[in-house]
Amino acid sequence: MTVRRSAAALATTAVLLGAAAPAAVAAPSPSPSAELPAGLYGTTDPTYDGVWRQSLAFLAQKIEFVTPSTQAVDWLAGQQCDSGAFTSYRDASKPCDSSTVMDTNATAVAVQALVEINQRREEANNGADWLKSVQNPDGGWGYNPGSPSDANSTSIVIGALARTGVPINEVSTPDGKTPYTALQSLAIACGKKDGGAFAYQPGKKGELVANPDATAASVLGLMGKGIAAGTSNAVKDPSCTKGDDLSPEQSAQNGASFLADTLKKKPHLEQAPMPGAEDTAPQPDYGNTADAVVALAASGHTDKAEASVDWLEKNAAAWSKAGGPAATAQLILAAHATGADARGFGGVDLVKQLNGMGPSPAATAQPSPTPTGPQPSSGTDSDDSGLSLGWLIGIGLLAGTGIGFLLSMRRKKQQP
């Protein structure tokens, strides 16, 4: 997960685990509505996930034929710096300067959202141009400009560039390395333990350790698809192709094969428990499970995601409500991609729930569209690495002694 998602996850887990979670790891208290910026989705402190949750809300609404309000769109666009970059959240009354922490993930998800809702295209294009300008020498992207490339950041940037019509193979370094080059360098070869999976980043000795979240992100990235990928019309049997010269599509299918095998054993992914929790067993990871569902559906394996969707329907209602706009949006995207009813998902109208977390939408449509029906996407149908010091300090202030848990969803991907 990204840092902004782990902030939401911290709040959610504290709610779901109740007394099992120590007070020190409680999420930031919801701010009074008067203190939150007008147009923003959600009620919790937006410092670490403002742009992220707003953008995910737009993506989920659009795929369900809901048009966000002008006020909400204006807030998101107002978060952009003149350079084209977005931060995770900033006071838009002050200009960006050399101390502003630019964020590739926030920029990429905002670009995808603006393209999908077919508004502020100039801002979306400026964001894409900035992303291209901070590409790493290995062809990928890290969380902040100049930080080491990771699978999640690279994948979400690919989605943003593809949605703005940029041919990914043409986004290359002087020595010819592309974003696909960076992603494929993180793939574990078929025939090895966890073959087909992707690592978040190489370990200190160059070792690659399978990471399901990074794998789900890489599947979408290598197919040139964004977060709201929908369903592939092609139905395929998962397979892991051996070889040193695989195409991006083959590497994506290898990742899908790993995800299918993983979710066949248990219909949900897991995460480490919160520090101090009485239950030390791994906890269900609702967000990453939803991401894996989207990746499987987008790569032609919707049938392999059915058990996971059923599990999410039975277990994720409380998580989505406590997790706010981003969590609710993730479930909507997973439901839509697999043909489930987002307006009756486990007895919950997720679309209504999401709409109620922000300004009243400009327009809504019912019934919920199906993944095989008209898709509300625009543009081409193609389509997180180290943290800055400022982020680490900010998260430390946010979580106190719970920093281990807050970082785990992001930093767990960094190999020892």
Side-chain angles (χ1 to χ4, degrees):
M1 282 189 178
T2 60
V3 167
R4 66 210 98 256
R5 279 171 59 192
S6 43
L10 185 63
T12 307
T13 307
V15 170
L16 297 181
L17 294 184
V25 297
S29 300
S31 302
S33 58
E35 298 178 6
L36 293 172
L40 176 67
Y41 277 70
T43 59
T44 55
D45 185 342
T47 301
Y48 304 105
D49 75 337
V51 169
W52 182 264
R53 74 198 196 199
Q54 192 88 348
S55 300
L56 277 189
F58 288 1
L59 289 168
Q61 287 179 320
K62 183 60 177 179
I63 209 166
E64 290 289 333
F65 290 90
V66 175
T67 303
S69 71
T70 299
Q71 184 185 45
V73 178
D74 287 347
W75 182 86
L76 180 61
Q79 290 290 295
Q80 189 173 35
C81 299
D82 289 341
S83 65
F86 284 77
T87 65
S88 296
Y89 172 78
R90 71 184 185 91
D91 180 353
S93 67
K94 302 175 183 178
C96 301
D97 56 28
S98 58
S99 67
T100 304
V101 181
M102 306 304 181
D103 180 337
T104 62
N105 288 229
T107 303
V109 73
V111 167
Q112 291 188 42
L114 293 174
V115 170
E116 295 297 343
I117 64 174
N118 198 26
Q119 297 187 47
R120 303 299 191 104
R121 186 54 189 262
E122 183 177 351
E123 284 91 335
N125 290 341
N126 289 342
D129 288 341
W130 178 80
L131 288 168
K132 288 189 290 183
S133 74
V134 295
Q135 184 180 24
N136 283 339
D138 64 0
W141 286 266
Y143 186 85
N144 301 119
S147 60
S149 296
D150 65 78
N152 296 58
S153 298
T154 300
S155 297
I156 196 172
V157 171
I158 289 175
L161 298 180
R163 296 308 295 152
T164 56
V166 176
I168 303 304
N169 277 323
E170 295 180 11
V171 184
S172 60
T173 64
D175 60 353
K177 293 181 179 178
T178 72
Y180 295 145
T181 306
L183 279 184
Q184 288 180 297
S185 71
L186 296 172
I188 299 174
C190 297
K192 294 185 177 181
K193 182 180 181 295
D194 296 325
F198 287 76
Y200 177 70
Q201 288 177 324
K204 294 180 179 179
K205 298 180 180 180
E207 69 276 14
L208 299 178
V209 177
N211 184 286
D213 188 31
T215 302
S218 298
V219 169
L220 294 182
L222 287 164
M223 293 189 299
K225 295 187 176 184
I227 294 174
T231 304
S232 171
N233 292 326
V235 179
K236 308 172 182 178
D237 288 326
S239 62
C240 201
T241 303
K242 297 181 179 181
D244 297 325
D245 190 24
L246 301 180
S247 68
E249 167 69 16
Q250 288 174 316
S251 294
Q253 289 299 325
N254 288 353
S257 176
F258 171 80
L259 291 175
D261 287 344
T262 300
L263 293 176
K264 183 178 180 180
K265 300 169 186 174
K266 184 178 292 187
H268 62 86
L269 301 177
E270 296 179 333
Q271 64 186 24
M274 294 176 65
E278 294 180 4
D279 186 356
T280 58
Q283 302 298 316
D285 193 328
Y286 303 93
N288 286 344
T289 300
D291 290 347
V293 165
V294 172
L296 284 171
S299 55
H301 309 295
T302 304
D303 58 323
K304 301 301 185 291
E306 289 177 353
S308 297
V309 175
D310 290 343
W311 182 85
L312 288 170
E313 285 201 73
K314 295 174 182 176
N315 296 279
W319 171 78
S320 67
K321 186 174 183 179
T328 302
Q330 283 179 272
L331 288 188
I332 291 174
L333 294 174
H336 182 87
T338 55
D341 183 6
R343 288 181 164 87
F345 196 78
V348 177
D349 186 337
L350 294 174
V351 180
K352 181 179 180 180
Q353 178 171 291
L354 179 60
N355 292 345
M357 293 177 174
S360 297
T364 60
Q366 286 185 319
S368 179
T370 65
T372 55
Q375 298 298 305
S377 301
S378 57
T380 58
D381 186 19
S382 308
D383 187 286
D384 290 307
S385 145
L387 302 180
S388 68
L389 178 60
W391 270 98
L392 292 174
I393 294 173
I395 293 172
L397 292 174
L398 169 68
T401 57
I403 189 171
F405 171 78
L406 181 59
L407 290 177
S408 67
M409 296 181 200
R410 191 90 163 78
R411 303 286 278 193
K412 68 181 179 181
K413 306 176 185 72
Q414 297 178 355
Q415 312 307 334

